[in-house]
Amino acid sequence: MRLLVTGAKGLLGTDLVPVLQNSGYEVIAFGSSELNITDEDSIKYALTHHKPDVVVNCAAYTAVDKAEEEHKEAQRINDHGAGLLAAATKQIGARLVHFSTDFVFDGTSNTPYTEEDKTNPIGVYGKTKLDGELKIIASGARAVIIRTSWLYGHTGKCFVRSIIDGATKKDELRVVSDQVGSPTYSVDLSVAAAALIENGYSGIVNFSNEGIASWYDFATLIVKLARDNGVSVKCKSVTPIKSIEYPLAAKRPCYSVLDKTLYRKLTGRPVPHWMDALKRYIQLEFDQ
Ligand SMILES: NC(=O)c1ccc[n+]([C@@H]2O[C@H](COP(=O)([O-])OP(=O)(O)OC[C@H]3O[C@@H](n4cnc5c(N)ncnc54)[C@H](OP(=O)(O)O)[C@@H]3O)[C@@H](O)[C@H]2O)c1
């Protein structure tokens, strides 16, 4: 089976491509400069030229705070671009794998969100991602939309790398403790995406690592594991703070745990716990 990956040089795309290759797929990987998902002609050319069986869309506008000012640009990529890709995928009879976010929810729940739960994004990024989901569904393309959360990986900026960087420079880190969710390792998400490609399901499916953490819990374990793995950590304490003490342009849901029952039922696969995933990630990052 031939797969065409868009946004292949981002955080997820970089880790996903080798996982798909190791799963036995032929993978054609395009970064943003090689395939722009907002350019209808270049999408059509790439899809008709390479004739993939599955298009895997990792391309997105992901700057959550900047999106509050750059609404049009976020909409152009996350909504319009996703729609163009879905239409072109349908036209060649291929399937689409698309990624979405826990930020489609408002965070007022206190039990894990299922795929059926009511969406209500509270920021521009989440709203544009939800619009993209709706456009894909309306296109009639055979598509699986994988909602995930709190993603970190081996490329680019992410929370884990920022915390480790901070911990090597500062005595104290102050981290928000009143937002909870599930940190997700890009390699585990990639394995889940490969399993869902194999399964062939169409619709929305949640995948994040198992368990619940606040950003403070997450940061505390990151610092501990970094120290355990030989990183020269200067930080002596991680202090819990309220979101109000760390103002950001975009509002975030204060609870965004995703229910993975459907994923387990479809694939029969276990969902690794976030602490186990973080241990594997840090061991790989600092493997000497
Ligand atoms: N990161 C998270 O915490 C998180 C959480 C939940 C869901 N997600 C979802 O997971 C998916 C992957 O996110 P990520 O973290 O890998 O994001 P990322 O690191 O920002 O990667 C996105 C990639 O898309 C590319 N891109 C942007 N505009 C494009 C366009 N018009 N055409 C083609 N490529 C374009 C970017 O290239 P340039 O850098 O060259 O612009 C970048 O390489 C996204 O759908 C995101 O919404 C992420």
Side-chain angles (χ1 to χ4, degrees):
M1 198 152 40
R2 181 180 295 169
L3 273 48
L4 188 151
V5 179
T6 61
K9 293 187 179 147
L11 185 159
L12 175 60
T14 310
D15 290 337
L16 177 67
V17 167
V19 169
L20 295 176
Q21 285 166 335
N22 291 337
S23 304
Y25 296 117
E26 180 191 347
V27 180
I28 301 152
F30 287 121
S32 60
S33 57
E34 293 136 353
L35 178 56
N36 177 353
I37 67 158
T38 65
D39 179 344
E40 194 170 2
D41 290 338
S42 66
I43 294 174
K44 277 192 180 156
Y45 177 79
L47 267 57
T48 50
H49 185 71
H50 293 286
K51 299 185 177 57
D53 302 292
V54 182
V55 175
V56 185
N57 182 30
C58 297
Y61 181 105
T62 58
V64 174
D65 292 304
K66 222 161 138 197
E68 297 294 314
E69 277 174 22
E70 296 188 348
H71 192 146
K72 272 194 181 160
E73 183 62 1
Q75 198 82 37
R76 203 167 68 84
I77 298 168
N78 292 343
D79 172 22
H80 181 63
L84 290 178
L85 210 52
T89 303
K90 186 182 178 199
Q91 207 163 28
I92 62 158
R95 279 173 46 74
L96 178 66
V97 177
H98 178 78
F99 295 91
S100 191
T101 170
D102 55 331
F103 281 26
V104 297
F105 296 113
D106 59 17
T108 53
S109 178
N110 51 19
T111 54
Y113 284 103
T114 72
E115 291 80 359
E116 313 288 307
D117 280 331
K118 191 176 171 296
T119 52
N120 183 31
I122 53 176
V124 168
Y125 165 73
K127 167 138 193 353
T128 61
K129 291 294 291 183
L130 178 61
D131 289 344
E133 287 186 6
L134 295 172
K135 210 157 259 178
I136 291 168
I137 292 165
S139 76
R142 289 182 298 135
V144 62
I145 297 169
I146 307 173
R147 283 189 186 143
T148 191
S149 64
W150 295 28
L151 198 59
Y152 61 93
H154 294 285
T155 305
K157 279 191 195 162
C158 67
F159 183 77
V160 182
R161 292 171 149 226
S162 304
I163 290 293
I164 294 175
D165 186 48
T168 60
K169 294 178 183 149
K170 297 179 193 164
D171 289 330
E172 185 200 12
L173 293 176
R174 293 161 58 77
V175 184
V176 167
S177 63
D178 56 0
Q179 285 169 30
V180 296
S182 305
T184 304
Y185 181 19
S186 58
V187 170
D188 290 353
L189 175 60
S190 302
V191 170
L196 287 166
I197 290 170
E198 191 66 34
N199 171 271
Y201 179 80
S202 292
I204 297 171
V205 183
N206 292 337
F207 183 85
S208 60
N209 278 127
E210 201 51 273
I212 303 176
S214 68
W215 292 108
Y216 163 77
D217 300 328
F218 191 20
T220 302
L221 189 59
I222 294 166
V223 173
K224 180 191 178 310
L225 291 173
R227 189 179 277 121
D228 292 351
N229 280 270
V231 177
S232 148
V233 170
K234 186 175 179 223
C235 172
K236 292 185 188 68
S237 66
V238 182
T239 307
I241 59 165
K242 303 252 179 255
S243 305
I244 203 164
E245 296 174 72
Y246 191 75
L248 292 167
K251 278 200 213 159
R252 269 94 170 146
C254 56
Y255 177 95
S256 67
V257 179
L258 301 173
D259 181 304
K260 271 82 67 179
T261 307
L262 177 61
Y263 170 78
R264 283 200 198 83
K265 195 171 141 198
L266 290 171
T267 65
R269 295 186 64 92
V271 179
H273 195 277
W274 73 267
M275 290 186 188
D276 165 67
L278 185 62
K279 274 182 203 151
R280 285 184 278 117
Y281 171 86
I282 290 194
Q283 274 164 7
L284 212 60
E285 279 279 294
F286 299 102
D287 191 21
Q288 290 130 2

